[in-house]
Amino acid sequence: MIAPLGSTVSASYQVMYRYTSDDAYINAIVSRIYNKLIISSLDAIGLYYANGIYTIVPQVIDTCPTYATPYVPESIVNGVNLPRILCSINTERVKAGRRPLAVHKALSDEAKEQVKLMDALGHYFKAPRISPLYWVAGQGNTDTDTMLDALSSKYYDDVTSSNYTIAGVAQLNGYWSFILGGLPYGITTRTVCPANLDQVTYVY
């Protein structure tokens, strides 16, 4: 059950403008709307950051849920549901007799930069093959399911290849990037289908 937001939401909505860091944002909250945050009728807050703009929404909930629902953070990394991506691809890799992929931080960062560049240019581009990396990308896939459809249909042989043990993935505004790589040493992932980010095996 999702409780409806209270009548005070629109009045308490605060756009906190541009700040250079989270610390500066916190200082602004304390100095500007501290009194709103400590009133006894306040039930929740929402926080958001995008393109340099910080936002906060203090909320008073009119109708409380009849039971407690635990908060489960989304497993979104670089615009994709990372556990779902890994579960789908690693399941196919295990079927093919391959080791499950681990997530490589550097490849993830590179994939993120690639989608940012494509979004800025306004079109998809194909990067050159760099051994031992294999990079595939596309556009028009704004969610994990459509990305997985493309990866499993067009690039099945690549994503299940024994040459690769690590991957990085990102999506932004329909542009996506998936980078595969290999390491000279073996990697043992904790689980083929991670339930959350804590179970994802990262390589740095």
Side-chain angles (χ1 to χ4, degrees):
M1 177 181 178
I2 300 177
L5 299 180
S7 57
T8 61
V9 170
S10 59
S12 62
Y13 178 80
Q14 298 283 331
V15 177
M16 301 295 289
Y17 306 105
R18 295 182 182 273
Y19 297 98
T20 57
S21 66
D22 290 345
D23 287 340
Y25 179 39
I26 292 171
N27 289 335
I29 290 173
V30 171
S31 61
R32 292 182 55 189
I33 60 171
Y34 178 79
N35 289 336
K36 288 187 177 182
L37 294 178
I38 63 171
I39 60 175
S40 59
S41 59
L42 183 65
D43 297 305
I45 60 170
L47 301 170
Y48 189 70
Y49 166 84
N51 300 322
I53 302 293
Y54 286 88
T55 301
I56 183 170
V57 185
Q59 298 171 2
V60 176
I61 300 176
D62 291 333
T63 305
C64 292
T66 55
Y67 57 88
T69 303
Y71 171 69
V72 180
E74 292 183 342
S75 298
I76 305 300
V77 176
N78 291 351
V80 298
N81 187 314
L82 189 56
R84 179 180 285 187
I85 286 276
L86 291 174
C87 181
S88 179
I89 290 176
N90 283 341
T91 297
E92 295 302 316
R93 286 180 62 86
V94 170
K95 289 179 182 178
R98 313 302 188 204
R99 289 182 175 180
L101 292 173
V103 178
H104 197 287
K105 181 66 166 55
L107 296 187
S108 299
D109 291 343
E110 177 60 25
K112 184 178 180 180
E113 292 304 312
Q114 294 286 358
V115 295
K116 286 169 59 178
L117 180 56
M118 285 188 282
D119 185 55
L121 293 174
H123 62 82
Y124 153 81
F125 65 85
K126 184 176 182 180
R129 174 75 182 271
I130 303 175
S131 183
L133 299 180
Y134 184 79
W135 181 69
V136 295
Q139 67 185 90
N141 300 309
T142 57
D143 57 50
T144 300
D145 289 335
T146 53
M147 282 185 59
L148 285 172
D149 288 342
L151 289 171
S152 60
S153 58
K154 292 183 180 180
Y155 305 106
Y156 177 84
D157 290 341
D158 300 306
V159 298
T160 59
S161 171
S162 60
N163 294 329
Y164 306 120
T165 56
I166 53 175
V169 61
Q171 185 274 139
L172 178 65
N173 296 331
Y175 298 100
W176 58 272
S177 172
F178 192 88
I179 306 176
L180 291 157
L183 291 176
Y185 54 87
I187 299 171
T188 302
T189 60
R190 285 177 282 177
T191 177
V192 171
C193 279
N196 51 57
L197 292 180
D198 289 337
Q199 296 179 354
V200 174
T201 300
Y202 279 89
V203 178
Y204 291 87

